[in-house]
Amino acid sequence: MFGCSTNNPAVRRYLWRFAWAMFFYVVCLIGSILAFVHLHPTGVVAYGLAVLPALPMIGMTVVVGLYLSEEKDEFQRNMTIQALLGGIGGTLSVVSVWGFLESFVHIRHLDLIQVYPMFWMFVFFSVVVVRLRYR
Amino acid sequence: MKNRLRVLRAERNWSQADLADRLEVSRQSVNAIETGKFDPSLPLAFKLARLFETTIEGIFSEES
């Protein structure tokens, strides 16, 4: 997935699905913002609209899982898993440290909504490291 | 693990890309296996052995 050829059908399917998930994320996010600004929803509708942008994000995780199950090239699969582990490890490290800093020295609160982009940022850095390792 | 992939490939005049096509993997995969940075699974090792008409031990050996 990360840095391999787009001739690979599993990568092509991954990119296509991920692009759709991103598209739905933008649509859901804008829709939710507009609804909250103009319609001031309450109750169950408000909960539903608040959760809506998270659904395509969950979809992105499913898309990555589908890629891992469809990728036939075990080396590419291995590199992707290493990059994802780097992303998970980096994110968990930062939020753990941040959590203790918030508790003990009252630094700025980290919104949970920032965790997912942080994960992908760590995945990106991990891809660079993994690719350098196998260069 | 050590391996004789580079030698076996050279004997057949195959590039890494040629071998990758035959194995249905990426060229980076062949390079990683050849340089000993990645050990293939048993199914891929068997595929390599079949392709080079030898045994797995004929391609791979333990690092001394």
Side-chain angles (χ1 to χ4, degrees), chain A residues 1-2 8 10-11 13-14 17 60-85 88 119-120:
Chain A
M1 162 167 84
F2 303 120
N8 180 332
V11 173
R13 279 195 295 273
Y14 164 79
R17 288 167 180 160
M60 288 175 205
T61 311
V62 173
V63 166
V64 173
L66 284 172
Y67 165 74
L68 288 175
S69 67
E70 291 173 0
E71 176 59 76
K72 297 212 170 14
D73 187 326
E74 60 189 51
F75 175 66
Q76 298 295 344
R77 202 166 52 230
N78 182 287
M79 285 210 301
T80 304
I81 290 168
Q82 285 188 45
L84 291 168
L85 284 174
I88 292 167
F119 163 72
W120 283 109

Side-chain angles (χ1 to χ4, degrees), chain A residues 103-130:
Chain A
S103 298
F104 292 119
V105 291
H106 311 296
I107 64 164
R108 184 180 73 80
H109 175 65
L110 178 72
D111 282 333
L112 286 177
I113 206 164
Q114 292 171 305
V115 172
Y116 200 72
M118 187 194 299
F119 163 72
W120 283 109
M121 188 190 73
F122 275 112
V123 170
F124 173 78
F125 288 129
S126 300
V127 167
V128 174
V129 172
V130 170

Side-chain angles (χ1 to χ4, degrees), chain B residues 26-50:
Chain B
S26 61
R27 194 199 58 76
Q28 295 100 309
S29 307
V30 170
N31 185 56
I33 295 168
E34 206 170 278
T35 53
K37 291 177 180 169
F38 179 74
D39 293 330
S41 65
L42 265 180
L44 186 55
F46 273 116
K47 206 169 178 179
L48 277 162
R50 266 199 308 274

Side-chain angles (χ1 to χ4, degrees), chain A residues 7-54:
Chain A
N7 291 332
N8 180 332
V11 173
R12 276 205 306 272
R13 279 195 295 273
Y14 164 79
L15 291 172
W16 185 243
R17 288 167 180 160
F18 202 87
W20 273 108
M22 281 295 287
F23 170 75
F24 281 119
Y25 170 69
V26 172
V27 168
C28 291
L29 183 64
I30 292 172
S32 289
I33 291 169
L34 290 175
F36 272 97
V37 168
H38 296 291
L39 306 173
H40 311 291
T42 54
V44 179
V45 177
Y47 278 91
L49 283 168
V51 167
L52 197 60

